[in-house]
Amino acid sequence: MNIFKDFSATLAVALCILAAPAQAQSQDQSQVQSQDQAQDQAQAGARDDRAQVLGSWYRMILELVRHTPTYSPPVASRAFAYTALIAYEATASGSDRLQSLTGQVAAVPMPPLREDGLAYDEDVILNTALAHAVDVYFSNTGPTGQRAKAALTKQLDALTAEGTDPDTLARSQAYGAALAEAIIAASADDGGAVVENLGFPMTYTLGGEPQDWVPTSLVQLQQAPLLPAWGQNRPFTLPDGEACPLPPPPAYSEDPGSEFYKQAMEVYDTSRSLTDEQKIIARFWSDDPMLSPTPPGHWVSIIFEIAERDALPVEDRVNALVRLGMAVSDGFIVNWRDKYRYDLLRPVTYIRRVIDPKWEPLLITPPFPEYPSGHSTQSGAVAQVLTATFGTPFPFTDSTHEADGLAPRDFPDFWTAAREAGISRLYGGIHFRAAIDLGLDQGACVGDHVNALKTWK
Amino acid sequence: MRRALLLLALAAAAPARAQDPAIPSFAEETAPAGFTHAFTGEWEFMVGGGIAVFDCNGDTRPDIFAAGGTAPAALFVNDSAPAGPLAFTPTPSGLEETSVSGAYPLDIDGDGILDLALLRVGQDRLMRGLGDCRFEDASAAWGFDGLDLWSTAFAATWEQGASLPTLAIGTYIDRAQEAFPWGNCTPNHLYRPKTDGSGYDAPLPLTPGFCALSILFTDWDRQGTPDLRVSNDREYYKGGQEQLWHVEPGQPPRLFTEAEGWQRLRIWGMGIAQEDLNFDGFPEFFLTSMADNKLQTLAEIPPQGAPLPRYRDIALKSGVTAHRPYTGGDLRPSTAWHAQFGDVNNDGLPDLYVVKGNVWAMPDFAEDDPNNLLLQRPDGTFLESGDRSGVASMAQGRGGALVDLNADGLLDMIALNRNEPAQIWRNTTASPANWIALDLSLPGPNRNAIGAWIELRRPDGRIHSREVQVGGGHVGGILVPQHFGLGPATSAEIRILWPDGTAGDWQTLAANAVWRLEPGRAPVAVTAPN
């Protein structure tokens, strides 16, 4: 199931409706509107296409993340967080169910005020705000991405403007733009706004100790590690930069009796006896930059698959997205802080040095320190947040990589999926167990901070 | 005990080494040579811009065909005097098509006059050479269905016993997918001749297609039957990777599998260049990409039997990552397109020319992205010389060629740029080094001996092997006598392994001449040794 293709199909149907006679429009609208949308019609004075607008833009940004080289997982997490924040605030500004995060999250300034007694169109506000968000947070995309954004903007502008009087349209566009621009301005100094050289520093001094990270890639840019200062970025929900700390990893040792050696041997032995299922799991959660929507995008994809299956109201969608966005973004900040605090070497380095010089892991080893596992931290944070949002057990299907030929996987709850994401890194030969287990714990801690936010009125 | 700190000065220039090669010198002669052309266009022409170089009028001087994108393609007839300045005349030829992305010369019908495969954003065409640089569209006559796709890659081979070449055409994105083009790569196609030789069968889709930007028939394992190497642009595919197809006579093509040793590689594949760099008889492959160009060498060559298609990436250790501009101050990562090996200083070691240019205002990548001219050292590493050689063009490069345009034995250089003027440089190196060029010829079909291997014994006894091919590069190729630098040697010991598997005799030929070689006949000097 490709739920985002469904958005396109729906968009195409809706655009056909716009061109069709009014009688046909009335009949067909019922086919493209979910139940929740109907609930909000009275508020907007027109049909509610917000779920469709949201889904279409998110389908676009999942592609842009995949196809724009800037978007390593930490950078992607920040872009997802701010985009979701703008979608959330745009929706909350006209909702009697959601409340603004102003005052709870530093990145959210006071929203612009709506003029009393004047009409606003919620579709237009959300669409305009998202278009601004995508323009800024996905600006580095290439000619195809720019062309695609322009095409989608045109389609969604036509869809949301239909039936809206010019004054309301202009007022709503201005409001959506102002709301987005306020958040965009507030995000400029969080430390992550400028990413140069795809995130790889031009010069870097390696630690030089046996336990320290060394390059594992034959790509020249990756002879320095990715985003060494990312852990100093301003988080959304954490009280300070020292939140959710982790203990050091097992002490480095080449002694066969040591815990470090034991954990390395676990990676090595596992790699030599991988089952087909373990290989599938490793590849399913590999989520490589430029070849997938990255780990945070993988979870965004899951959210939309659930939202479509359960026909979630748009408020529920943006609530889940904003929580997820802040969870992955803050997760990567603390995770990156500890990666560079402990600067641990990767399994491929240790195993070739100590155990088997010809060893090859299943997955491509990422170009940055090992401990803790980034996917584990961010997946743990998401699981903690989505469990609080949707409950547990909560069975769902994950079809994120169907277009890449990887079959959907079913999960009984979010933590089962997160734990599978974590252990996939051991199957793939790119993380030791400590990085996974403690990374998941760190993620839960981050998730608790996100869960403390109040979004429902 | 703390080890010494390792400082990665990633942008620092490499120090000179005692064995650094002689730096060639080039002079840009674009304007005085009359080479006025540009490859133009927006999204559908962000890739492409290929050049074909071949002799279309039988005067032994290579002429230039340049794709034009939205502008008409153009043919430039070579008027250069031997060892003189470059001189070209744009000439009406019947090739003035628009929407041309690139072209490859080959003698399809075996009449001794080179034809041209035109790749287009739209229907491809096979243009029959009529002599005197005139061409006519022979697509219908040869039963060639050019389809209506975005064609971006080409290769040809003569399968055993065939009277026409088997053609492979690579394609890019489904142009109809405006908002969501990703995951919408169209299939590549294989055109095989009908068994009676009267023309081509319907194109055979090579599915899945992963947005190919370069393809090449290559006998990479030296088993006598070329396979089809495909370099794909990961920007657009889903579930894709680089590909290698078995193309065996009479059999449907099939992909090499992991069980056969194929290793998954996913890059922004844009161009393929092949050369036996380490003189072991097996070719290395340079694959252009964006900041992660690859130089592949076989991981293992067994004492007997075929090697597995498993490669090591030696770009980093060889100094050919060419991952960022080396001059000009824009340090963002590079974007590489056409690549070609050639010995520009005639020292006997193949060098590497890489054409660079931003895709189209991609902010993550360098705008001022100079072309590379990487000179090989005796130890197999390379030295960047583009700036010192005078060819560090900052234009938005796409296609290119290294070819001797003025019969002085020195490889000249062409770059076709997108939305900017094309460029041409004359190699003005004052060098005592010698060279030889070999023009292979066969009677009947496959007049240019595509698929033959040239072996040249080096002074150290090692054999430099080169396959005669049509394909690779970035949407353009050359079909001219095969050039080798000889260093101080005044003769070359060579032999030809012809496409049917027969081996010619080792023979010694005088340096500094173009020699025509046919099986069973004495070599003929096309140009006298000087």
Side-chain angles (χ1 to χ4, degrees), chain A residues 8 56 59-60 63-64 66-70 139-145 147-148 151-152 155 197-198 201-210 212 217-221 223-224 283 288 290-291 353 364 403-404, chain B residues 1-11 43-44 46 173 175 177-182 234-240 258 264 266 268 291-292 294 313 316 321 323-324 331-333 359-365:
Chain A
S8 286
S56 297
R59 182 187 174 199
M60 175 63 66
E63 294 288 0
L64 297 181
R66 175 177 181 148
H67 299 287
T68 307
T70 325
S139 61
N140 276 15
T141 192
T144 298
R147 182 174 182 267
L152 186 63
Q155 292 175 19
N197 199 37
L198 308 185
M202 300 297 286
T203 59
Y204 187 79
T205 302
L206 300 176
E209 300 270 19
D212 290 338
S217 161
L218 292 175
V219 175
Q220 178 65 267
L221 288 183
Q223 300 312 296
R283 288 179 170 140
D288 298 301
M290 291 305 303
L291 295 164
R353 180 190 297 165
I364 298 167
D404 285 282
Chain B
M1 183 75 184
R2 190 173 181 84
R3 294 187 214 162
L5 294 183
L6 302 174
L7 179 65
L8 300 178
L10 297 176
W43 187 70
E44 291 177 340
M46 63 183 173
I173 308 165
R175 328 201 283 284
Q177 303 297 324
E178 188 178 22
F180 291 97
W182 305 283
R234 73 181 187 185
E235 182 80 7
Y236 296 101
Y237 59 62
K238 291 189 175 175
E258 289 187 18
R264 188 167 64 161
R266 296 167 293 184
W268 290 283
D292 62 347
K294 305 295 183 191
D313 176 13
L316 186 59
T321 54
H323 59 287
R324 76 168 77 256
L331 295 179
R332 288 174 290 178
V359 176
W360 186 6
M362 285 190 78
D364 285 333
F365 291 87

Side-chain angles (χ1 to χ4, degrees), chain B residues 118-478:
Chain B
L118 283 190
L119 303 183
R120 300 178 70 246
V121 182
Q123 286 200 316
D124 303 323
R125 307 199 198 292
L126 297 182
M127 306 299 291
R128 178 176 11 225
L130 303 173
D132 199 25
C133 296
R134 290 174 299 109
F135 294 82
E136 67 176 7
D137 186 355
S139 304
W142 289 335
F144 173 78
D145 180 357
L147 304 173
D148 180 12
L149 297 168
W150 183 346
S151 295
T152 45
F154 181 86
T157 187
W158 269 259
E159 297 189 75
Q160 287 298 334
S163 57
L164 291 173
T166 291
L167 314 177
I169 295 181
T171 71
Y172 206 44
I173 308 165
D174 179 352
R175 328 201 283 284
Q177 303 297 324
E178 188 178 22
F180 291 97
W182 305 283
N184 285 295
C185 297
T186 48
N188 307 317
H189 290 90
L190 193 70
Y191 293 79
R192 278 178 151 157
K194 293 178 178 174
T195 52
D196 64 3
S198 62
Y200 284 97
D201 280 326
L204 186 64
L206 294 170
T207 304
F210 293 138
C211 289
L213 287 179
S214 192
I215 59 179
L216 183 64
F217 281 108
T218 171
D219 189 12
W220 61 274
D221 57 358
R222 304 302 303 272
Q223 297 300 294
T225 303
D227 301 306
L228 183 63
R229 179 105 197 216
V230 185
S231 195
N232 296 308
D233 184 358
R234 73 181 187 185
E235 182 80 7
Y236 296 101
Y237 59 62
K238 291 189 175 175
Q241 57 172 302
E242 299 286 287
Q243 294 168 304
L244 182 63
W245 292 86
H246 294 273
V247 181
E248 295 164 352
Q251 301 295 317
R254 61 188 170 85
L255 281 167
F256 275 77
T257 64
E258 289 187 18
E260 294 175 286
W262 180 248
Q263 293 170 298
R264 188 167 64 161
L265 175 65
R266 296 167 293 184
I267 59 174
W268 290 283
M270 296 178 173
I272 306 173
Q274 170 179 326
E275 186 73 5
D276 173 17
L277 293 176
N278 55 8
F279 311 126
D280 65 357
F282 293 89
E284 278 64 49
F285 293 94
F286 187 76
L287 307 175
T288 56
S289 181
M290 299 172 71
D292 62 347
N293 304 307
K294 305 295 183 191
L295 180 59
Q296 296 188 319
T297 191
L298 280 170
E300 184 177 5
I301 300 172
Q304 293 184 329
L308 297 176
R310 302 176 69 86
Y311 286 90
R312 291 188 294 120
D313 176 13
I314 56 170
L316 186 59
K317 67 184 282 188
S318 303
V320 292
T321 54
H323 59 287
R324 76 168 77 256
Y326 53 88
T327 185
D330 188 339
L331 295 179
R332 288 174 290 178
S334 269
T335 307
W337 302 83
H338 183 82
Q340 183 183 337
F341 289 102
D343 188 352
V344 294
N345 51 10
N346 285 337
D347 64 357
L349 297 169
D351 309 306
L352 176 60
Y353 172 42
V354 183
V355 182
K356 294 281 188 66
N358 195 292
V359 176
W360 186 6
M362 285 190 78
D364 285 333
F365 291 87
E367 283 290 338
D368 294 330
D369 199 357
N371 297 345
N372 301 93
L373 184 57
L374 293 146
L375 306 176
Q376 191 180 176
R377 299 183 178 100
D379 66 0
T381 63
F382 286 75
L383 171 71
E384 178 60 67
S385 78
D387 46 354
R388 285 172 283 173
S389 298
V391 295
S393 170
M394 297 289 184
Q396 200 179 134
R398 291 294 187 270
L402 275 181
V403 57
D404 181 5
L405 294 168
N406 62 347
D408 62 356
L410 294 167
L411 296 177
D412 306 298
M413 183 180 285
I414 311 168
L416 191 51
N417 304 313
R418 176 176 174 269
N419 292 331
E420 293 181 84
Q423 293 169 286
I424 194 164
W425 293 264
R426 179 161 63 100
N427 189 334
T428 57
T429 306
S431 166
N434 299 312
W435 57 275
I436 195 168
L438 306 173
D439 182 16
L440 275 52
S441 180
L442 285 172
N446 194 8
R447 296 288 290 262
N448 300 101
I450 305 305
W453 283 82
I454 298 169
E455 293 185 334
L456 186 150
R457 194 188 313 275
R458 295 170 41 79
D460 62 6
R462 292 186 295 171
I463 306 296
H464 182 178
S465 301
R466 182 182 298 165
E467 187 174 16
V468 180
Q469 297 168 297
V470 173
H474 183 68
V475 209
I478 65 174

Side-chain angles (χ1 to χ4, degrees), chain A residues 89 100 102-103 108-113 182:
Chain A
E89 289 294 318
S100 169
T102 301
V108 183
M110 284 296 291
L113 296 175

Side-chain angles (χ1 to χ4, degrees), chain A residues 67-308:
Chain A
H67 299 287
T68 307
T70 325
Y71 293 102
S72 58
V75 179
S77 73
R78 175 181 181 274
F80 282 122
Y82 281 112
T83 303
L85 204 49
I86 287 172
Y88 176 86
E89 289 294 318
T91 307
S93 69
S95 171
D96 56 7
R97 299 175 63 207
L98 293 174
Q99 68 175 44
S100 169
L101 289 168
T102 301
Q104 299 185 74
V105 175
V108 183
M110 284 296 291
L113 296 175
R114 298 191 184 196
E115 295 183 61
D116 287 342
L118 296 179
Y120 288 84
D121 186 287
E122 303 303 330
D123 292 0
V124 173
I125 289 171
L126 180 61
N127 182 47
T128 305
L130 274 169
H132 274 65
V134 174
D135 259 352
V136 171
Y137 296 114
F138 301 90
S139 61
N140 276 15
T141 192
T144 298
Q146 301 293 355
R147 182 174 182 267
K149 280 197 300 184
L152 186 63
T153 299
K154 186 177 175 185
Q155 292 175 19
L156 291 176
D157 283 354
L159 175 73
T160 54
E162 173 66 18
T164 306
D165 72 81
D167 286 347
T168 302
L169 176 63
R171 188 181 309 113
S172 303
Q173 287 172 332
Y175 182 81
L179 184 145
E181 285 166 3
I183 293 173
I184 289 166
S187 73
D189 63 352
D190 72 347
V194 178
V195 176
E196 295 178 328
N197 199 37
L198 308 185
F200 296 98
M202 300 297 286
T203 59
Y204 187 79
T205 302
L206 300 176
E209 300 270 19
Q211 72 272 17
D212 290 338
W213 179 85
V214 294
T216 59
S217 161
L218 292 175
V219 175
Q220 178 65 267
L221 288 183
Q222 299 177 0
Q223 300 312 296
L226 181 74
L227 296 167
W230 194 263
Q232 299 164 26
N233 287 0
R234 183 178 66 218
F236 288 89
T237 63
L238 307 178
D240 56 54
E242 292 304 313
C244 300
L246 285 187
Y252 180 86
S253 172
E254 297 176 13
D255 181 343
S258 68
E259 176 62 18
F260 200 96
Y261 186 95
K262 182 180 153 193
Q263 293 206 6
M265 277 303 292
E266 181 186 20
V267 176
Y268 180 67
D269 288 341
T270 302
S271 76
R272 302 212 305 167
S273 59
L274 283 173
T275 65
D276 288 345
E277 175 70 359
Q278 288 171 326
K279 290 178 185 173
I280 288 169
I281 289 170
R283 288 179 170 140
F284 188 81
W285 293 101
S286 182
D287 294 328
D288 298 301
M290 291 305 303
L291 295 164
S292 79
T294 72
H298 190 155
W299 281 105
V300 169
S301 169
I302 289 170
I303 286 286
F304 274 93
E305 191 162 355
I306 291 168
E308 283 303 288

